[in-house]
Amino acid sequence: MLMRMAIGAVAGFAAMKFGLESGLGPLLREAGPGSAALAGSGLIYGLMGLFVGIGVAASGLGSKLLNVTGREDIEDQRGQMLGGAVSCFALGVGMLLLALAGPGGAVPGVVGVAAFGFALFLTAAITLLQWRGYDELWRNMSMESAAWGGTLIAMTLLVWGALALIGWAILPDPAGLVALVMGLNLLGTFIAVGRRGLLIEA
């Protein structure tokens, strides 16, 4: 488990360092903190999708990188895992493009919105197509993840909005709002999965 965490941390650091030093950093700083947060969230989603996708494609390597009991576990859940990997990667790319699509950004606004909208549509389509193939555990985790994510988003925005109303807080910009929603949705998923003990070593 420690080795998996270390590999993930190194990969995330390397990706962030490459992004900041390849010209992405100045663009995000110019766009504002909300866009930087959105790009960071997109990077997390994208790396998750990439790691799971590689693990599914190479089950031998995946059995060492992913929290599964072995290659047989990956084979049994190949469809669900591949669908999740594609969804996460698409959302990550969509969020990165959207972060760069603000006024005067490096990406035309329509391209950023279209990429993010397509990623959302693709995620919903994959979930609907795979729903019948989910076992009871997968279905319960999906619904619990949605419930946790929705609750976290609603409570955070309501409290934040109330504090902003009386001048005690400043609401995030549009990019920051999208980053907040996507980040809390991911946190809801981790809570639902963790409550079932699936974040510990398989």
Side-chain angles (χ1 to χ4, degrees):
M1 177 60 70
L2 291 176
M3 181 62 70
R4 293 166 183 165
M5 292 174 63
I7 293 174
V10 170
F13 175 78
M16 182 67 74
K17 185 175 179 61
F18 173 78
L20 292 176
E21 294 182 354
S22 64
L24 185 61
L27 292 174
L28 291 174
R29 284 193 291 270
E30 185 177 345
S35 294
L38 181 57
S41 298
L43 181 63
I44 293 173
Y45 273 84
L47 285 176
M48 285 175 52
L50 183 62
F51 265 81
V52 175
I54 292 174
V56 172
S59 56
L61 179 62
S63 63
K64 298 179 176 63
L65 290 178
L66 305 177
N67 190 31
V68 292
T69 56
R71 301 178 65 166
E72 297 79 9
D73 199 10
I74 294 179
E75 294 296 333
D76 291 341
Q77 304 182 59
R78 180 176 295 274
Q80 292 92 329
M81 294 178 70
L82 183 60
V86 171
S87 297
C88 280
F89 188 77
L91 287 169
V93 173
M95 292 163 71
L96 283 171
L97 291 176
L98 186 61
L100 297 172
V107 175
V110 66
V111 174
V113 172
F116 185 61
F118 174 76
L120 292 175
F121 171 80
L122 181 64
T123 299
I126 289 175
T127 301
L128 291 175
L129 289 173
Q130 291 189 336
W131 186 257
R132 290 185 178 180
Y134 287 175
D135 57 22
E136 184 178 356
L137 176 63
W138 275 81
R139 290 190 179 190
N140 289 338
M141 281 198 304
S142 296
M143 291 187 290
E144 189 174 341
S145 296
W148 274 106
T151 300
L152 290 171
I153 292 167
M155 295 302 296
T156 300
L157 291 179
L158 287 172
V159 173
W160 201 338
L163 293 176
L165 181 65
I166 61 175
W168 288 8
I170 300 176
L171 289 175
D173 60 17
L177 180 62
V178 177
L180 178 67
V181 170
M182 296 301 293
L184 290 175
N185 184 66
L186 184 60
L187 178 58
T189 299
F190 279 117
I191 292 175
V193 173
R195 279 169 51 85
R196 297 176 181 275
L198 298 179
L199 292 181
I200 61 176
E201 186 173 5

